[in-house]
Amino acid sequence: MGALKVTVLYLILLLTTKVISKEEEWMSATATYTKEADESIIRGGACGYGDIHKASYGKYSAGLSTKLFNKGSTCGGCFELRCVDHILWCLQGSPSVILTATDFCPPNYGLSADYGGWCNFPKEHFEMSEAAFAEIAERKADTVPVQYKRVKCERRGGIRFTMSGSAHFCQVLITNVGLDGEVVGVKVKGPKTGWIPMARNWGQNWQCNINLIGQPLSFEVTASSGRTLASYSVAPANWQFGQTYEGKQFK
């Protein structure tokens, strides 16, 4: 029995080590940048964040290719990127930046995957802001080889809930999520209801077909790691569409 316990503990340790190693492993991809007036990405894109400066992501945001975007489930996730294997374009020392997934980089099957069709499936590609790109590579570069890995999202303040919808349905945009950054489940609760599951509408917009106007609202957010965080009475009874309310944060 003692030998069996030792064997089981060893297997658990081995599996845990493999999981940790996989999470920290650098993966290969490519990156390019899109030009905006202030060298940043200001559009919200397919994740629904609207003005991403207001959503706190700013220049450190990125559009992801089909494989990485994963139908929007990756929205809000954080990636560390560094330029590699290109003496001419990569900055010396291969400095890295941490980006938040805020948009979808659509495929262009009219172009080859090596020239213009960077986001064609199954390519793994990041479309960065010019300012962030310039922190890892020369601006003159068209596209560069990079390595990336998922990292913990460091956020200031709590998770933010921006209300929208109508008298017939309730919709909330969830931003500034720490830890995984990715949200896989949301529930809402008023004093007159139990916890009501919300469905992903698009990006990080979640909705339920219930009129919750006039009730203080609590939200339960589940991250991709499986951790759940409840923020009670985040929105007061007189909450308004278009207003943003701040709850607790994953630690």
Side-chain angles (χ1 to χ4, degrees):
M1 182 61 71
L4 179 59
K5 287 184 177 180
V6 171
T7 302
V8 170
L9 289 173
Y10 174 76
L11 289 173
I12 293 173
L13 179 61
L14 183 62
L15 288 171
T16 303
T17 303
K18 285 184 177 180
V19 170
I20 293 173
S21 298
K22 186 176 181 180
E23 290 178 347
E24 296 178 348
E25 182 181 357
W26 288 96
M27 308 292 288
S28 297
T30 54
T32 187
Y33 68 87
T34 181
K35 288 190 175 182
E36 298 285 355
D38 64 348
E39 299 184 353
S40 183
I41 299 175
I42 58 175
R43 64 191 187 285
C47 290
Y49 292 134
D51 185 332
I52 59 174
H53 289 282
K54 291 182 180 179
S56 77
Y57 304 134
K59 69 179 183 179
Y60 295 107
S61 57
L64 274 56
S65 59
T66 303
K67 185 175 181 179
L68 290 172
F69 190 69
N70 195 22
K71 298 180 180 179
S73 65
T74 311
C75 287
C78 294
F79 297 82
E80 184 175 2
L81 262 71
R82 63 186 183 189
C83 182
V84 295
D85 302 329
H86 204 302
I87 297 176
L88 184 61
W89 298 133
C90 295
L91 297 186
Q92 187 174 3
S94 292
S96 65
V97 293
I98 295 177
L99 307 174
T100 298
T102 61
D103 199 2
F104 173 55
C105 180
N108 184 349
Y109 294 113
L111 299 174
S112 71
D114 296 323
Y115 189 77
W118 301 300
C119 292
N120 293 350
F121 187 84
K123 294 279 288 185
E124 297 189 348
H125 183 82
F126 294 84
E127 186 180 56
M128 306 169 62
S129 71
E130 183 178 359
F133 185 87
E135 293 187 21
I136 64 170
E138 298 289 343
R139 294 174 191 263
K140 294 181 291 184
D142 190 7
T143 180
V144 296
V146 298
Q147 289 181 334
Y148 75 91
K149 63 180 178 179
R150 291 298 305 270
V151 294
K152 179 181 177 181
C153 296
E154 301 289 345
R155 306 295 189 206
R156 293 183 179 179
I159 298 174
R160 296 170 189 163
F161 304 87
T162 302
M163 305 302 302
S164 62
S166 71
H168 305 291
F169 72 97
C170 175
Q171 181 168 286
V172 61
L173 169 64
I174 299 179
T175 59
N176 203 50
V177 181
L179 194 64
D180 310 29
E182 298 178 18
V183 176
V184 298
V186 179
K187 294 180 181 179
V188 62
K189 181 183 182 302
K192 302 175 183 178
T193 72
W195 285 107
I196 302 167
M198 304 187 81
R200 187 192 302 273
N201 187 328
W202 60 287
Q204 286 298 358
N205 284 281
W206 297 76
Q207 75 172 55
C208 62
N209 297 322
I210 297 176
N211 182 4
L212 295 172
I213 294 175
Q215 298 186 50
L217 300 180
S218 303
F219 292 95
E220 182 183 272
V221 175
T222 301
S224 57
S225 64
R227 287 186 59 185
T228 297
L229 180 66
S231 297
Y232 292 94
S233 300
V234 174
N238 63 343
W239 60 265
Q240 300 292 318
F241 295 126
Q243 291 186 342
T244 300
Y245 304 93
E246 189 169 305
K248 295 180 180 180
Q249 183 61 272
F250 287 107
K251 301 296 185 179

